[in-house]
Amino acid sequence: MTDERYMARALELARRGRFTTTPNPNVGCVIVRDGEIVGEGWHHRAGEPHAEVHALRMAGAKAKGATAFVTLEPCSHHGRTPPCCDALIAAGVSRVVAAMQDPNPQVAGRGLYRLQQAGIEVSHGLMMSEAEALNRGFLKRMRTGFPWIQLKLGASLDGRTAMASGESQWITSAAARRDVQQLRAQSSAILTSSATVLADDPSLTVRWNELNADVRQQLDEATLRQPVRVVIDSQQRVTPQHRLIAQPGETWLMRTEADQQAWSDSVSQIAVPLRGEQLDLVAMMMLLGQRQINTVWVEAGASLAGALLQAGLVDELIVYVAPKLLGNAARGLCELPGLEQLSDAPALKFSDVRKVGADLRLTLTPA
Ligand code: AOF
Ligand code: ZN
């Protein structure tokens, strides 16, 4: 097998951690000696061993003189676990191939450097774009301090989200809602607004029964991770009685200041500065990054959707389009106040188009 095949296998292993590793990245490792895979591992959860440690354990004495393929530069720091480069050196590995460097300032080249200093043959860059795609959230947070932000929208063919009356449930199909569950489950946080909480009283959770069978196989119902629910609530309108408050997992209420109600321990009130009359969305995203949120999955109404787009905060749009026409009296997909000229319209490009049940799923990124 070629180096590329081994790295492809390491990437496949890394992907198994996509529902569980946040705030850590997804990392996979394959150890090869004399053309034979002798060790495989991936990072499962923050606080638990890194990918290399699992692979080295499996390889045992066979790691001596072997090549390690890793999807991210082996770490050089003492975090929740000891440095992987020390473990690779101690095991007597003779070559390390990393798909990319780790931008974490605690690592940032020092892992590869330490391996090289120990006489190990080191290279990086093999299948780098695939490795980048695996950890868009972690990488963006390490590089910029901001989380990776995905905005999910659901609309009719004519771009409408609700009837004029506000009636909006089930525009898209059950298949689309199920697809959303798989994507929610991979996010660090789900963001919404108090307007949506007041209007729909959603629970914004990941539901075991709605995860695909192959996904369930890699997870454990008892330890299913719930993304943090983040609610923009500058007017303190969310109450302990709202449905999402009682759900398993944490809820963060983003407010200008805390109120004195009796909230449960799973609820935090986080102070965010104002910008005009609204919470400062840029400052808020920075706060989420500081709190180790890698990816934010936004499910909200036209007003927050438009504000995020206008602030340039959206990294990816996911639009489910139902084969229905709701007409011009129905409500639109996003509010973009002050937009008058076509040249000022947010420019996007399609990066993926596929059919999900009866609907289309469009994925777009800023052009
Ligand atoms: C690796 N292999 O499998 C992972 C790495 O607190 P810790 O000890 O879990 O360290 C977390 C940091 O280590 C994380 O921010 C990232 O830089 C790196 N993750 N490194 O060599 C792995 N998960
Ligand atoms: Zn490590």
Side-chain angles (χ1 to χ4, degrees):
M1 287 220 300
T2 61
D3 283 4
E4 193 141 324
R5 294 291 298 279
Y6 293 125
M7 189 60 86
R9 175 65 183 155
L11 286 161
E12 188 181 309
L13 292 166
R15 232 167 261 126
R16 294 190 186 170
R18 69 195 185 282
F19 300 99
T20 48
T21 66
T22 187
N24 274 0
N26 300 160
V27 184
C29 176
V30 170
I31 298 177
V32 178
R33 190 163 114 174
D34 302 329
E36 186 200 347
I37 294 184
V38 294
E40 288 191 335
W42 76 95
H43 185 48
H44 300 209
R45 225 174 245 101
E48 294 181 13
H50 287 181
E52 297 88 325
V53 172
H54 285 295
L56 286 170
R57 275 183 197 161
M58 181 175 160
K62 291 184 180 161
K64 202 167 174 55
T67 298
F69 293 86
V70 219
T71 60
L72 187 70
E73 171 182 5
C75 66
S76 53
H77 70 299
H78 287 267
R80 282 164 279 232
T81 65
C84 290
C85 60
D86 291 356
L88 290 162
I89 294 166
V93 165
S94 63
R95 182 161 82 107
V96 171
V97 182
M100 62 179 297
Q101 282 185 264
D102 183 351
N104 182 346
Q106 291 179 291
V107 184
R110 280 191 286 277
L112 295 176
Y113 179 73
R114 291 250 305 263
L115 293 168
Q116 206 165 33
Q117 290 300 299
I120 294 174
E121 183 189 338
V122 169
S123 66
H124 65 93
L126 180 67
M127 302 188 80
M128 185 159 68
S129 58
E130 288 85 348
E132 280 271 343
L134 196 63
N135 285 307
R136 283 176 306 190
F138 171 81
L139 296 170
K140 185 180 173 198
R141 178 167 70 83
M142 285 298 155
R143 288 170 181 150
T144 69
F146 283 86
W148 167 265
I149 300 159
Q150 292 174 297
L151 171 62
K152 175 251 166 183
L153 298 165
S156 63
L157 184 59
D158 50 349
R160 307 288 160 171
T161 58
M163 302 308 288
S165 65
E167 185 191 345
S168 72
Q169 284 211 301
W170 321 145
I171 288 180
T172 51
S173 65
R177 293 197 296 278
R178 198 183 172 99
D179 192 57
V180 166
Q181 282 284 319
Q182 324 305 311
L183 295 167
R184 270 187 189 176
Q186 295 177 52
S187 307
S188 313
I190 301 174
L191 175 69
T192 195
S193 67
S194 58
T196 298
V197 173
L198 266 68
D200 304 340
D201 200 9
S203 50
L204 298 178
T205 49
V206 173
R207 292 179 285 275
W208 181 255
N209 306 337
E210 292 176 43
L211 294 176
N212 293 337
D214 60 322
V215 170
R216 281 199 300 242
Q217 233 168 27
Q218 291 172 18
L219 298 173
D220 174 13
E221 186 174 4
T223 60
L224 181 67
R225 182 186 62 85
Q226 291 295 338
V228 179
R229 292 174 292 275
V230 179
V231 187
I232 298 181
D233 186 27
S234 60
Q235 323 246 1
Q236 305 192 334
R237 295 193 298 171
V238 177
T239 68
Q241 285 71 47
H242 281 111
R243 198 174 286 160
L244 83 180
I245 299 296
Q247 297 295 328
E250 284 185 62
T251 304
W252 295 353
L253 300 174
M254 311 309 278
R255 298 174 151 186
T256 55
E257 57 186 4
D259 72 19
Q260 300 305 320
Q261 297 200 69
W263 295 100
S264 70
D265 289 347
S266 62
V267 178
S268 308
Q269 302 185 67
I270 299 174
V272 181
L274 282 173
R275 188 165 187 270
E277 305 205 319
Q278 312 276 346
L279 291 191
D280 184 335
L281 293 175
V282 174
M284 184 193 76
M285 290 300 180
M286 212 142 100
L287 277 171
L288 295 181
Q290 281 162 8
R291 289 171 167 255
Q292 300 201 302
I293 297 295
N294 286 343
T295 53
V296 176
W297 174 261
V298 188
E299 293 194 36
S303 145
L304 180 58
L308 289 169
L309 281 164
Q310 285 190 318
L313 284 167
V314 177
D315 293 299
E316 193 169 75
L317 255 102
I318 290 120
V319 190
Y320 294 90
V321 180
K324 288 192 178 100
L325 292 164
L326 299 186
N328 288 352
R331 297 182 187 178
L333 199 57
C334 63
E335 280 168 28
L336 299 170
L339 179 62
E340 279 168 15
Q341 284 173 320
L342 200 51
S343 56
D344 294 335
L348 302 161
K349 59 176 193 287
F350 292 109
S351 58
D352 186 65
V353 176
R354 66 184 64 190
K355 199 146 174 254
V356 175
D359 302 322
L360 285 183
R361 186 182 80 191
L362 313 176
T363 306
L364 302 96
T365 52

